[in-house]
């Protein structure tokens, strides 16, 4: 890691009062959750169906047994704990410097670390609802269910509050994230390939002059970054001082 880049990031954080962090799967890899598109990630493994098919709304409705078998094996990591990146972002928010976290992750680790204003673009494994009566169920209920989780109240199919392929993003969440990004004086993007839309398109609404991009591999937005750092997000954020 280039020390001058770390010093530049520290200076900009010191000078900013409306920081927004936009993150993806790479933020949680240091917590033991695999990156979908890494060499060993979900998209490079072999299953009876492609992950995009299994994780689609139509497949969920057509074959909930196979969906939940895949979901339990490959999407749920209940023992994962927040890493240094999650904790530092929560610390920055508590200090009144960071106004929002916008995340593409569904693991809830930002909230577990103490972050309050979190826009979960793709939903959360911690929220589950009966598709028939709307009853809420937590992650523990889904984890303990044998096969397809059914509602004890009405027998309806329980669906995770995660955005599947063929489903739109929640508009209230999208608009909240958009406003936070528009109002930011420093936008830090970390741990994302910026390849998933419409989520990645949100950064086009940033109107500030300091855009920081932290990712181990190149992204389509590298040329637009005012500061580009190729490093693991947790190892980098651990060295940031909150003052």
């Amino acid at each position: 890691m280039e020390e001058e880049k770390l010093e530049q990031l520290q200076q900009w954080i010191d000078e900013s009062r409306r920081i927004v962090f936009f993150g993806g799967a790479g933020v949680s890899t240091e917590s033991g959750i695999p990156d979908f598109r890494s060499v060993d990630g979900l998209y490079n493994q072999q299953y009876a169906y492609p992950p995009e098919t299994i994780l689609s709304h139509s497949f969920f409705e057509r074959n909930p047994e196979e969906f939940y078998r895949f979901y339990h094996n490959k999407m749920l990591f209940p023992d994962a704990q927040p890493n240094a990146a999650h904790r530092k972002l929560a610390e920055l928010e508590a200090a009144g410097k960071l106004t929002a976290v916008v995340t593409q992750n569904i693991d809830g680790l930002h909230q577990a670390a103490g972050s309050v204003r979190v826009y979960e673009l793709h939903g959360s494994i911690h929220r589950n609802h009966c598709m028939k009566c709307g009853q809420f169920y937590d992650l523990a209920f889904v984890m303990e269910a044998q096969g397809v989780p059914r509602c004890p109240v009405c027998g309806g199919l329980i669906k995770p509050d995660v955005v599947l392929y063929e489903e739109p993003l929640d508009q209230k969440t999208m608009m909240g994230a958009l406003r936070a990004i528009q109002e930011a004086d420093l936008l830090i993007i970390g741990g994302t390939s910026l390849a998933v839309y419409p989520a990645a398109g949100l950064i086009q609404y940033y109107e500030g002059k300091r855009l920081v991009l932290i990712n181990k591999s190149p992204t389509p937005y590298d040329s637009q970054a005012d500061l580009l750092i190729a490093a693991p997000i947790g190892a980098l954020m651990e060295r940031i001082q909150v003052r």
Side-chain angles (χ1 to χ4, degrees), residues 60 64 68 129-132 148-151 155-159:
F60 172 78
Y68 266 109
H129 293 87
C130 172
M131 296 181 71
K132 189 174 179 181
V148 177
R150 295 279 177 179
C151 178
L157 176 63
I158 293 172
K159 181 185 180 295

Side-chain angles (χ1 to χ4, degrees), residues 12-242:
W12 286 358
I13 288 175
D14 289 344
E15 295 172 353
S16 300
R17 289 295 178 270
R18 295 188 310 280
I19 303 169
V20 169
F21 179 83
F22 181 99
V27 178
S28 293
T29 53
E30 289 166 80
S31 293
I33 298 178
D35 181 340
F36 271 48
R37 290 169 177 79
S38 67
V39 174
D40 300 315
L42 191 56
Y43 279 73
N44 289 284
Q45 300 178 30
Q46 299 299 315
Y47 301 97
Y49 302 90
E52 293 95 335
T53 299
I54 299 174
L55 297 175
S56 67
H57 181 83
S58 56
F59 188 92
F60 172 78
E61 291 194 322
R62 186 173 65 251
N63 195 344
E65 294 83 4
E66 185 66 10
F67 170 89
Y68 266 109
R69 189 169 72 86
F70 180 92
Y71 185 71
H72 275 279
N73 291 339
K74 300 298 177 183
M75 304 295 288
L76 300 181
F77 297 87
D79 297 326
Q81 297 296 317
N83 62 50
H86 300 107
R87 294 191 294 271
K88 189 65 65 173
L89 292 167
E91 193 179 342
L92 285 166
E93 183 182 18
K97 297 183 67 64
L98 183 139
T99 56
V101 169
V102 180
T103 181
Q104 299 172 84
N105 297 338
I106 60 174
D107 50 46
L109 290 181
H110 285 293
Q111 291 93 329
S115 289
V116 177
R117 193 179 181 195
V118 181
Y119 293 103
E120 297 174 304
L121 299 177
H122 296 152
S124 172
I125 61 172
H126 296 279
R127 298 187 300 269
N128 305 272
H129 293 87
C130 172
M131 296 181 71
K132 189 174 179 181
C133 73
Q135 181 73 29
F136 171 86
Y137 295 96
D138 61 11
L139 176 59
F141 181 90
V142 172
M143 292 291 297
E144 293 165 6
Q146 299 295 319
V148 177
R150 295 279 177 179
C151 178
V153 177
C154 73
L157 176 63
I158 293 172
K159 181 185 180 295
D161 181 21
V162 298
V163 179
L164 302 177
Y165 289 97
E166 305 166 353
E167 293 181 344
L169 272 61
D170 179 75
Q171 282 304 300
K172 184 178 179 181
T173 303
M174 279 284 285
M175 292 307 297
L178 188 154
R179 282 193 298 270
I181 289 172
Q182 278 184 323
E183 296 168 359
D185 60 5
L186 174 62
L187 177 61
I188 302 174
I189 301 171
T192 173
S193 62
L194 293 174
V196 178
Y197 285 82
L202 283 173
I203 68 173
Q204 297 174 11
Y205 292 91
Y206 177 54
E207 299 174 353
K209 296 180 179 178
R210 292 171 171 177
L211 175 62
V212 179
L213 211 167
I214 306 163
N215 201 54
K216 291 193 290 184
S217 56
T219 81
Y221 287 83
D222 285 4
S223 62
Q224 298 183 32
D226 300 295
L227 181 60
L228 183 63
I229 306 175
I233 184 75
L236 175 69
M237 295 301 290
E238 192 168 28
R239 299 181 62 187
I240 293 296
Q241 301 297 313
V242 180

